[in-house]
Amino acid sequence: MSRRAVIIGAGPAGLTAGLELLRRSDVKPIILEASEEIGGISRTIKYKGNRMDIGGHRFFSKSDRVMQWWVDLMPPEVEGSASGAPAAAPEISYQGKKRVVVVPAHLKEEPVLRGVGPILHHVEEEDAEDGTPEAEEAVAAAVVTHEPEDSDLVMLIRPRKSRIYYLRKFFDYPITLTATTLKNLGLVKTFRVGVSYMNSQVNQIAPEKSLEDFLINRFGRQLYLTFFKSYTEKVWGTPCDEISAEWGAQRIKGLSLTTAVKHFLKKAFRGSAKGGDLAQKGTDTSLIERFMYPKFGPGQLWEHVADLIREGGGEIHMGWKVDRVHCSMEGGVKRVVSIDAVNANGERQTFAGEYFFSTMPMRELVEALDAPVPENVREVSAGLQYRDFITVGLLVDRLKVKEPDGGLLKDTWIYVQEPDVVLGRLQIFNNWSPYLVADPTKVWIGLEYFCYDTDELWKMADEDLKKFAIAEVVKIGILNAEDVSDGHVVRVPKTYPAYFGTYDRFEELREFTDGFENLFLVGRNGMHKYNNQDHSMLTAMTAVDGIVAGHVDKAKLWGINTEQEYHEEK
């Protein structure tokens, strides 16, 4: 291999770039990872035989290329496991020695941070007038895969269930107008929501200066206070009246209580008038409620990719933090020529190459450049903000809240909208994969907190943080403190790039970094863009496509996850 690509970061984007380069070019990937763990925020945390998924990663994508890439590496398991994992046979058919895995072509978007609160993104009425299924109930797609070579190196087909916990009750997620929702809210609150909404339509706030104004104008003050304000401020740590209205318009375009009511009525009448949901034709809608998941968590796949990179001649250097990026200017063309990295022992090393991929936070990248940086670019870079993340894992004997049959809750995620606790979301790891739990008689949960690294919560000692988290779930009736047998704290800095601070001037920063001919920004923090795992992979794949073709179209990289932005969220 005569050429080298230096890749900063061993998360999904960096590892995808590395493997794609080995498979498709003569470029040798050299990956530098600041931590000692593979996978970035898609890594799996191991604790006393138990495993934690940071933030939860469903392996589902609208991109056939990404889906095929995943199942080529880890084919889906056919039989149900002895530990109780559901059989995947209904989703799999055989064609000779290959298997065709039927996967949903679209899922209701799950994640937590895409917009301002969990609510269904409805399809505009005219989009469904021709009798085609609505977007969230679209047809299934088939991905061709092979027999597993290793019984552990497989994807499980897992059922998806998520709900909102509010008023000490469970609501559907995303919020929909159903009898259960109306019953849980109660007649009085439902009446107030209706009156508040009608008032907002008569007395619109003008001009809309904040996200709070934007939401009240579309949902009424009562619904805003019920399902938007508390949760949004937990997630972003910024009052809604300090977030711009433009930000809301970008992320929840087309949403209002009117569209929710139209959606509800159309569902009800279509079901009775046409003898069933149109989405039932040609597809099993239960498939839309399933997703793929690595047997031992997301980090299992990325550790496998790292092994393949090493076996293929690539290098992965763990514990090396990049702190200097050396640049040159020849003939008016800016290029990166090498980078310096330092390890925990203070040892330094220089890595030279022809191509450079960066997944490090853009703020840190700009600080590391030895090229002249215009003052306006430094201002934008320094003003970028990030939201940090804490997961407190608790091993418990049982939960107080149960399914109607008395069994363990079936949710993977529970969005906690109770305003009297800081807790934002709760994962039940057993339901992601039974193999994440060492003792199947225990319940292994993750309590998720969104904060800044300057907050007292972030600085709290681990033992104090565990006590704090236990007290919160006791307070809202999730469990009894005496049923907790162990706990583990994981802090993840700069997990979520924020769309405030100096983000409104982001184009100034992007134009500057795009000016380095052989520097490619990929991934979530690399682009300061709230990419999901599959989007991060696609940015890396697209950059490699360009290298192979002889020219990287950087506009294409930035276009990924723009047109198909998940306006509700991960």
Side-chain angles (χ1 to χ4, degrees):
M1 297 181 183
S2 57
R3 297 180 294 169
R4 293 154 53 106
V6 181
I7 301 170
I8 305 171
L15 292 167
T16 299
L19 189 56
E20 286 286 290
L21 286 168
L22 283 173
R23 286 174 166 177
R24 303 175 53 211
S25 75
D26 65 346
V27 178
K28 177 179 178 177
I30 301 170
I31 300 175
L32 306 178
E33 170 55 43
S35 75
E36 297 293 341
E37 295 177 286
I38 290 289
I41 61 171
S42 294
R43 68 187 182 273
T44 299
I45 304 296
K46 302 177 180 68
Y47 176 72
K48 296 183 179 179
N50 300 298
R51 291 172 166 83
M52 299 170 67
D53 184 346
I54 303 299
H57 291 82
R58 293 181 308 150
F59 280 68
F60 161 79
S61 177
K62 297 175 186 177
S63 166
D64 293 340
R65 182 178 184 181
V66 171
M67 291 293 288
Q68 192 68 59
W69 203 89
W70 281 332
V71 299
D72 284 346
L73 291 170
M74 293 182 68
E77 182 182 65
V78 181
E79 297 80 14
S81 71
S83 63
E91 285 78 333
I92 297 177
S93 60
Y94 287 88
Q95 295 184 349
K97 293 184 179 180
K98 293 183 178 180
R99 291 186 295 168
V100 176
V101 182
V102 180
V103 296
H106 184 85
L107 278 176
K108 295 172 183 174
E109 301 312 340
E110 186 69 58
V112 61
L113 294 176
R114 244 331 143 177
V116 292
I119 193 164
L120 181 63
H121 184 109
H122 301 295
V123 180
E124 293 295 332
E125 188 170 355
E126 58 268 25
D127 293 342
E129 286 298 314
D130 60 356
T132 58
E134 292 184 321
E136 72 268 18
E137 300 168 326
V139 296
V143 179
V144 178
T145 185
H146 56 84
E147 291 286 342
E149 297 176 5
D150 183 328
S151 62
D152 283 338
L153 202 61
V154 294
M155 293 279 192
L156 306 182
I157 307 295
R158 302 299 295 160
R160 167 200 172 276
K161 183 177 182 181
S162 298
R163 287 180 292 179
I164 293 166
Y165 193 65
Y166 175 64
L167 300 173
R168 303 331 193 228
K169 298 175 183 177
F170 286 103
F171 291 77
D172 290 338
Y173 179 91
I175 282 292
T176 51
L177 290 178
T178 63
T180 300
T181 301
L182 300 178
K183 178 183 176 183
N184 284 350
L185 284 176
L187 184 61
V188 173
K189 188 175 281 288
T190 300
F191 177 76
R192 287 176 180 168
V193 166
V195 171
S196 174
Y197 174 68
M198 287 187 287
N199 182 61
S200 72
Q201 299 310 291
V202 174
N203 301 299
Q204 288 272 294
I205 301 171
E208 289 179 350
K209 295 182 178 179
S210 68
L211 179 60
E212 180 172 272
D213 297 342
F214 177 91
L215 291 167
I216 291 173
N217 278 347
R218 284 153 185 80
F219 296 96
R221 182 173 296 276
Q222 190 66 41
L223 197 60
Y224 159 71
L225 293 173
T226 301
F227 282 115
F228 287 92
K229 187 178 189 298
S230 171
Y231 189 75
T232 303
E233 294 178 358
K234 279 185 188 181
V235 168
W236 290 110
T238 299
C240 290
D241 61 3
E242 294 181 15
I243 300 175
S244 73
E246 289 79 7
W247 186 66
Q250 178 185 356
R251 277 169 175 73
I252 55 172
K253 181 181 178 181
L255 276 178
S256 71
L257 189 57
T258 300
T259 57
V261 171
K262 285 181 179 178
H263 181 83
F264 171 71
L265 293 174
K266 184 166 57 179
K267 283 269 194 176
F269 285 109
R270 184 176 61 189
S272 58
K274 299 185 179 181
D277 194 324
L278 285 175
Q280 298 294 326
K281 297 181 180 180
T283 185
D284 176 2
T285 56
S286 67
L287 299 184
I288 298 173
E289 301 304 320
R290 296 174 184 265
F291 60 91
M292 296 193 304
Y293 192 76
K295 186 173 182 176
F296 295 107
Q300 182 189 16
L301 179 134
W302 297 113
E303 289 160 13
H304 178 47
V305 172
D307 289 341
L308 293 175
I309 290 171
R310 293 185 182 105
E311 291 168 8
E315 298 177 14
I316 301 178
H317 300 268
M318 305 300 293
W320 287 87
K321 180 177 176 59
V322 172
D323 65 355
R324 202 68 178 157
V325 178
H326 300 288
C327 309
S328 69
M329 171 77 82
E330 295 181 7
V333 178
K334 292 187 294 186
R335 296 178 60 86
V336 175
V337 294
S338 65
I339 62 175
D340 291 348
V342 60
N343 66 14
N345 297 323
E347 299 168 331
R348 304 189 65 83
Q349 190 170 344
T350 299
F351 299 85
E354 285 70 39
Y355 307 102
F356 295 83
F357 290 71
S358 175
T359 72
M360 69 191 291
M362 291 184 75
R363 192 166 69 191
E364 296 178 10
L365 174 68
V366 171
E367 290 171 355
L369 291 171
D370 69 0
V373 179
E375 187 57 34
N376 68 302
V377 173
R378 286 199 184 277
E379 287 177 4
V380 176
S381 172
L384 291 179
Q385 295 187 31
Y386 303 85
R387 196 72 166 140
D388 305 300
F389 184 78
I390 300 171
T391 295
V392 181
L394 296 179
L395 192 66
V396 303
D397 295 331
R398 64 190 65 82
L399 301 179
K400 283 179 68 176
V401 284
K402 303 178 185 298
E403 290 291 339
D405 63 3
L408 175 66
L409 295 178
K410 296 178 181 178
D411 305 74
T412 46
W413 271 319
I414 296 171
Y415 294 83
V416 180
Q417 300 215 185
E418 304 289 16
D420 55 342
V421 292
V422 183
L423 177 64
R425 197 170 61 178
L426 184 153
Q427 288 195 72
I428 303 176
F429 295 121
N430 307 58
N431 295 334
W432 288 91
S433 167
Y435 299 96
L436 299 186
V437 190
D439 182 350
T441 68
K442 300 287 186 180
V443 184
W444 180 226
I445 63 175
L447 310 185
E448 299 181 349
Y449 292 90
F450 311 99
C451 62
Y452 293 111
D453 60 10
T454 54
D455 292 348
E456 287 304 313
L457 191 70
W458 181 268
K459 299 174 182 177
M460 198 179 290
D462 285 2
E463 289 305 312
D464 292 336
L465 188 50
K466 281 184 254 185
K467 291 175 183 176
F468 175 83
I470 292 168
E472 289 220 306
V473 284
V474 168
K475 181 178 183 179
I476 61 175
I478 297 294
L479 54 76
N480 293 317
E482 59 268 25
D483 290 328
V484 179
S485 57
D486 203 354
H488 184 58
V489 175
V490 179
R491 293 174 178 81
V492 187
K494 293 185 173 66
T495 307
Y496 304 110
Y499 289 88
F500 37 86
T502 54
Y503 186 78
D504 59 343
R505 297 173 55 195
F506 185 77
E507 285 302 311
E508 299 172 44
L509 176 57
R510 172 186 160 181
E511 183 180 356
F512 172 74
T513 56
D514 279 354
F516 291 87
E517 184 182 58
N518 63 338
L519 174 63
F520 311 113
L521 308 190
V522 294
R524 178 180 288 192
N525 276 340
M527 305 175 81
H528 199 86
K529 191 172 184 181
Y530 194 69
N531 287 323
N532 287 330
Q533 180 177 224
D534 58 331
H535 301 131
S536 293
M537 294 172 63
L538 282 169
T539 60
M541 291 174 175
T542 302
V544 173
D545 289 345
I547 289 173
V548 172
H551 172 70
V552 177
D553 183 350
K554 294 185 178 180
K556 278 190 176 181
L557 297 184
W558 290 105
I560 292 168
N561 190 25
T562 298
E563 292 78 15
Q564 61 177 16
E565 189 89 41
Y566 294 153
H567 294 293
E568 192 274 326
E569 172 175 346
K570 128 160 153 21

